[in-house]
Amino acid sequence: MIPRLIQETLRVRTGSYPVVTLLGPRQAGKTTLVKATFPDFHYANLENPELRTLAATDPRGFFKTYPPPLILDEIQRVPELLSWVQVMVDTEGGNGQFVVTGSNQPELGAAVSQSLAGRTSLLKLLPLSLEELAANGSPLDRNTCLVQGFLPRVHQEKQPATQAYLDYLATYVERDLRQLINLKDFHPFEVFLRLLAGRIGQLLNLSALAADTGVSSTTLGHWLSILEASFIVFRLPPYHANLGKRLVKNSKLYFYEPGLASALLQVETPAQAARDPLIGGMFENMIVVELLKAILNRGRHDALSFYRDSNGQEVDVILERQRIPHAIEIKAAQTFSPYFLRNLRRFKELQPKTESMSLIYGGRDSMSGSDYSVWGFHETFRCIN
């Protein structure tokens, strides 16, 4: 197992709460992490049909067989079990009784909010980060990272990346989404997914997507909400502040797993990624997710957004900590140019409270100036320190 940065946060939260809920995409490494962190806990995988039937039909018998401390894996399969967890933690008292994992949120989110409010700490685990791979001694190359992505099994089992992500789509994502959306024909949905991959880093326009897919914008909005709940894509909202200019209201869209986006775009080799016209958006996607991983792995709640005004002036990411903005610009180029700093400085003029300005680019050399920092892409995590 490649060591995960969130592990210490997971230990601390388990000592402070009766239940810790760990959410994240399928195959992100949740099961491996919790079993390695808590080897003395009982373990029940609710993907197992027999265990799922027992938990759903005889919860008393289930908990006699699997008493706390207990890891409940893929709890979204039997979300009603959380009502029993609530009763048990209220009766027994004490922290560290349950670790619960889940890979999609529609059912689980409602069950957690209803049954475990005030009793659980919520953490999110995304696939491997550049920071974790670097600590493990893995070589990091911009183009290779874009194609190989960050699913643990792709790195640990040395699987061909494109095939691994297409299999991931077919065996996990498609199965889950069919259940959640009740799709009879997956083809229009796959077209929608591929179109989304071609629009990473762009303003989301469901009307334009509806015209391209022949599916109503209302249906696409529903599909998109399921993709978000299942940790496939996420939206980056616009930054709102009194800057004296009208800000755009549309969000930008990114994939949680850059390797899946590359596979959907049929970008299969590092050489192909290097010359692909979408490399700017692909690289931006990877860096935005890396910022999100760095925040989540530390158990923090910093807000991420982007700035763009009606004149098209843009800063790729605004990180807010205690409502203080930190401006971050992203460039796929592997050679730094001072010209890359222009939007950061314009934003600072409009928002003088901006505490820091950072540029992340596709090279490896880091440097700093009087009012800015430049980080190679492998050191993205330093922007949140």
Side-chain angles (χ1 to χ4, degrees):
M1 168 184 147
I2 296 176
R4 307 305 302 267
L5 291 168
I6 202 172
Q7 188 169 37
E8 184 56 31
T9 300
L10 179 60
R11 286 196 185 100
V12 171
R13 297 287 177 87
T14 304
S16 304
Y17 287 84
V19 184
V20 172
T21 302
L22 183 66
L23 301 177
R26 284 190 173 276
Q27 297 292 301
K30 300 184 298 298
T31 300
T32 302
L33 173 64
V34 296
K35 291 177 76 173
T37 307
F38 307 107
D40 297 330
F41 279 37
H42 295 103
Y43 173 76
N45 185 351
L46 295 172
E47 288 284 6
N48 183 314
E50 292 181 355
L51 286 185
R52 188 162 65 244
T53 300
L54 176 63
T57 60
D58 185 10
R60 290 184 187 276
F62 175 83
F63 283 116
K64 284 183 180 179
T65 306
Y66 299 96
L70 172 63
I71 297 167
L72 286 169
D73 206 359
E74 301 295 355
I75 190 65
Q76 79 278 354
R77 293 298 187 186
V78 195
E80 61 269 23
L81 210 58
L82 292 176
S83 295
W84 291 83
V85 170
Q86 174 195 341
V87 172
M88 293 175 72
V89 300
D90 288 350
T91 301
E92 298 296 328
N95 296 326
Q97 296 185 52
F98 293 91
V99 175
V100 173
T101 79
S103 57
N104 61 54
Q105 301 175 78
E107 306 96 336
L108 186 54
V112 168
S113 62
Q114 292 172 10
S115 302
L116 299 182
R119 302 170 180 86
T120 188
S121 177
L122 182 64
L123 297 174
K124 293 182 180 179
L125 178 71
L126 299 184
L128 292 166
S129 67
L130 288 167
E131 185 179 3
E132 290 166 332
L133 289 171
N136 191 58
S138 301
L140 301 176
D141 169 77
R142 181 197 67 172
N143 303 327
T144 301
C145 288
L146 291 174
V147 174
Q148 192 172 28
F150 299 92
L151 283 184
R153 66 185 177 92
V154 174
H155 288 265
Q156 294 170 329
E157 300 174 17
K158 309 299 182 184
Q159 297 181 343
T162 299
Q163 189 59 52
Y165 286 108
L166 293 178
D167 289 344
Y168 174 76
L169 178 66
T171 57
Y172 293 106
V173 177
E174 183 176 342
R175 184 191 67 177
D176 286 351
L177 294 175
R178 282 187 184 276
Q179 292 177 344
L180 293 169
I181 306 177
N182 193 27
L183 285 173
K184 295 181 180 179
D185 181 5
F186 193 74
H187 177 69
F189 190 88
E190 186 176 1
V191 170
F192 176 56
L193 265 178
R194 293 183 184 276
L195 288 172
L196 289 179
R199 287 163 170 77
I200 47 179
Q202 299 180 21
L203 295 178
L204 182 62
N205 186 332
L206 286 178
S207 296
L209 286 165
D212 290 340
T213 59
V215 179
S216 73
S217 59
T218 301
T219 297
L220 294 185
H222 174 61
W223 288 358
L224 185 61
S225 68
I226 296 299
L227 287 171
E228 291 178 284
S230 301
F231 291 101
I232 306 302
V233 302
F234 66 96
R235 293 186 236 197
L236 190 70
Y239 175 76
H240 289 284
N242 185 17
L243 302 179
K245 291 188 176 183
R246 181 172 61 86
L247 303 180
V248 296
K249 302 253 188 315
N250 296 59
S251 297
K252 287 186 175 184
L253 185 122
Y254 298 96
F255 278 67
Y256 278 107
E257 177 44 73
L260 177 59
S262 294
L264 289 168
L265 291 171
Q266 299 180 319
V267 177
E268 301 182 4
T269 67
Q272 185 184 354
R275 62 177 183 267
D276 195 282
L278 295 178
I279 190 171
M282 295 164 63
F283 182 77
E284 181 180 320
N285 190 149
M286 180 174 72
I287 298 306
V288 171
V289 177
E290 285 299 309
L291 291 167
L292 184 58
K293 290 173 185 175
I295 292 167
L296 295 175
N297 286 341
R298 290 160 174 78
R300 286 173 30 182
H301 303 281
D302 304 349
L304 296 178
S305 59
F306 74 95
Y307 170 78
R308 185 174 182 180
D309 66 17
S310 56
N311 297 319
Q313 180 181 322
E314 184 170 342
V315 174
D316 293 317
V317 178
I318 306 298
L319 183 150
E320 291 180 88
R321 185 179 306 129
Q322 298 177 351
R323 300 185 66 183
I324 302 298
H326 301 253
I328 302 169
E329 188 76 346
I330 302 168
K331 297 294 182 183
Q334 294 179 296
T335 303
F336 168 71
S337 168
Y339 183 70
F340 295 159
L341 302 170
R342 68 193 188 284
N343 285 346
L344 292 172
R345 290 192 167 127
R346 289 173 184 166
F347 180 80
K348 181 73 177 285
E349 292 174 359
L350 294 169
Q351 190 71 359
K353 291 183 179 180
T354 301
E355 188 166 297
S356 67
M357 297 186 296
S358 299
L359 173 76
I360 303 169
Y361 76 119
R364 296 189 61 85
D365 294 331
S366 298
M367 61 199 82
S368 61
S370 59
D371 60 347
Y372 66 89
S373 298
V374 177
W375 302 108
F377 73 97
H378 62 295
E379 294 190 290
T380 295
F381 68 94
R382 297 194 185 279
C383 289
I384 75 158
N385 292 338

